[in-house]
């Protein structure tokens, strides 16, 4: 049974940092493209970042480029999202996901078939 569990969310002030973790079981993160998505109340789930299985290349949404970094620790079977210079507009529930469908691009939520429960990130101004 594949499972992803996010942690590390919380309440911070604008300009501060958080590091999110996504612990995987039942799947090996190095064998999957692994993505981070976020969803604010009343809004659609949006792509944040992805790290590819092949070589570990990364890609980011324009809104977080230069501030967020996705990485993985294969020994811990865990994916991370380092979030720096946080802004109030970053407030959302953050989800990690494993890509299982290749008919969709890596920035599409539809490409990902295994999801975590989400962790809340709130940034105050």
């Amino acid at each position: 049974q594949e499972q992803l569990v996010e942690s590390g969310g919380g309440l911070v002030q604008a300009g501060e940092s958080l590091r999110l973790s996504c612990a995987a079981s039942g799947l090996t993160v190095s064998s999957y493209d692994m993505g981070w998505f976020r969803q604010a109340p009343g809004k659609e789930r949006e792509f944040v970042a992805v790290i590819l299985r092949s070589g570990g290349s990364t890609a980011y949404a324009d809104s977080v480029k230069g501030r967020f970094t996705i990485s993985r620790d294969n020994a811990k079977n865990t994916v991370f999202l380092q979030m720096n210079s946080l802004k109030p507009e970053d407030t959302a529930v953050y989800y990690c996901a494993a890509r299982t469908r290749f008919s969709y691009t890596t920035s599409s939520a539809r490409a990902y078939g295994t999801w975590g429960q989400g962790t809340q990130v709130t940034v105050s101004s």
Side-chain angles (χ1 to χ4, degrees):
Q1 190 96 61
E2 299 86 4
Q3 187 173 19
L4 302 173
V5 180
E6 303 96 332
S7 62
L11 173 63
V12 297
Q13 295 183 350
E16 295 183 341
S17 299
L18 279 175
R19 183 176 176 86
L20 306 183
S21 298
C22 175
S25 60
L27 64 84
T28 301
V29 298
S30 62
S31 297
Y32 291 82
D33 299 334
M34 299 294 299
W36 284 97
F37 291 77
R38 66 187 183 186
Q39 189 166 26
K43 301 186 68 176
E44 293 185 350
R45 191 165 299 186
E46 67 172 345
F47 168 77
V48 175
V50 63
I51 183 166
L52 303 184
R53 61 185 178 179
S54 182
S57 297
T58 59
Y60 301 89
D62 288 342
S63 58
V64 307
K65 199 169 298 180
R67 299 187 298 121
F68 290 11
T69 303
I70 187 172
S71 62
R72 68 184 182 217
D73 186 330
N74 293 339
K76 298 182 184 296
N77 203 30
T78 300
V79 179
F80 302 96
L81 185 68
Q82 178 67 45
M83 305 185 295
N84 297 329
S85 301
L86 282 162
K87 305 174 180 180
E89 50 263 46
D90 295 319
T91 295
V93 177
Y94 283 71
Y95 300 89
C96 66
R99 189 188 187 197
T100 61
R101 308 181 184 106
F102 299 99
S103 297
Y104 304 92
T105 68
T106 55
S107 62
S108 171
R110 292 189 176 273
Y112 299 80
T114 301
W115 293 82
Q117 84 287 353
T119 186
Q120 176 71 48
V121 172
T122 303
V123 184
S124 63
S125 59

